[in-house]
Amino acid sequence: MQQIICTVDVVLLTLQDDTLKVALLRRDREPFKGVAALPGGFIRQEDDADTRDAAMRVLRDKTAIEPPYLEQLATFSGPARDPRGWSVSIVYYALVPFDVIESAGHPDVKLVGVDKPLSLPFDHRLIVDTAVARLRSKSQYSSLPCYLAGETFTLPQLQRVYEALMGEALNKVSFRRKMTEMDMLEPIEGAFTAGGAHRPAQLYRLKPALRDRLTLIERGL
């Protein structure tokens, strides 16, 4: 009897020019050699403590990126998703600010807009759509978009991230009230943006105690 194929795949998402994009890599082996796909790989029982550990290893090895946020998305399985045979993939999605991907400078990482037509191998198109739907849904009531904003940001910059993910303009006063209600941000003492044509703006960051978990609100933005 053929052994079940067991892998992890990662949907690595970022915002570039207010456009949500997913990171793809050209596969270096069959099946689908040379075709752009999600970063993924086999689980190694001798190296990986759990599937999250495996997902982090795959990202480090294949993209040179350590994501600030990684969450399990779903399990995809069945006999038809992989031409090699019956397979199961535990899928995670990761959120990374664009400058982190840019500084990693991996030559094989390609960023593609998630709303563009994508022809991907296996069931990776379904996986990407599932991750994007999860992200956009959670953006309405959680601190999740902060992980795309970078280490520090102004409130207008953070509002633009939320708007890009939710696909709609948000009222400035209402947005700031919700941020206060979530109590997840702290101003960085003495840190402001350069003045330029506008008044310097206060820089914020996620409170250290909240960087490894999401902050939620009862009613969405």
Side-chain angles (χ1 to χ4, degrees):
M1 181 178 293
Q2 186 180 25
Q3 189 173 7
I4 292 177
I5 300 166
C6 192
T7 63
V8 290
D9 289 296
V10 183
V11 185
L12 184 62
L13 296 167
T14 192
L15 272 179
Q16 182 182 17
D17 299 327
D18 294 332
T19 300
L20 186 62
K21 295 187 176 183
V22 61
L24 303 176
L25 287 171
R26 292 201 178 277
R27 289 181 53 81
D28 60 3
R29 65 189 66 184
E30 297 293 353
F32 306 110
K33 184 176 180 179
V35 176
L38 295 173
F42 292 103
I43 295 170
R44 300 176 184 169
Q45 66 180 60
E46 68 277 9
D47 296 328
D48 303 325
D50 51 32
T51 56
R52 188 182 191 279
D53 196 34
M56 290 292 287
R57 173 183 54 78
V58 163
L59 277 182
R60 284 194 304 268
D61 292 350
K62 296 195 172 185
T63 69
I65 292 169
E66 289 266 3
Y69 186 82
L70 183 74
E71 178 182 324
Q72 188 169 331
L73 177 65
T75 297
F76 294 78
S77 62
R81 62 180 305 272
D82 191 318
R84 292 169 293 187
W86 216 104
S87 70
V88 56
S89 177
I90 297 90
V91 177
Y92 287 77
Y93 70 102
L95 304 184
V96 183
F98 175 70
D99 61 351
V100 173
I101 296 178
E102 193 173 37
S103 62
H106 198 293
D108 297 326
V109 173
K110 177 184 179 183
L111 297 178
V112 180
V114 299
D115 294 320
K116 289 187 175 182
L118 292 176
S119 179
L120 301 177
F122 307 106
D123 52 359
H124 287 188
R125 174 77 252 195
L126 172 62
I127 290 174
V128 170
D129 289 344
T130 304
V132 170
R134 173 78 61 85
L135 172 59
R136 286 176 168 160
S137 174
K138 279 194 168 185
S139 294
Q140 300 179 46
Y141 61 86
S142 80
S143 58
L144 192 56
C146 293
Y147 295 96
L148 291 172
E151 285 290 322
T152 64
F153 42 80
T154 65
L155 289 179
Q157 288 170 342
L158 182 61
Q159 182 171 337
R160 285 199 299 272
V161 171
Y162 272 85
E163 289 174 337
L165 297 178
M166 295 171 62
E168 61 180 304
L170 299 173
N171 177 271
K172 176 182 175 180
V173 174
S174 176
F175 176 79
R176 295 192 176 210
R177 185 171 60 248
K178 289 295 184 181
M179 293 301 104
T180 301
E181 180 183 332
M182 291 165 76
D183 193 27
M184 63 182 184
L185 305 179
E186 63 178 14
I188 304 172
E189 187 176 353
F192 295 84
T193 58
H198 304 281
R199 292 178 56 188
Q202 174 71 54
L203 287 171
Y204 292 82
R205 65 189 170 200
L206 272 175
K207 291 181 176 179
L210 302 177
R211 288 176 187 168
D212 294 327
R213 60 186 176 89
L214 294 184
T215 304
L216 308 177
I217 52 177
E218 291 185 4
R219 290 189 296 175
L221 294 169

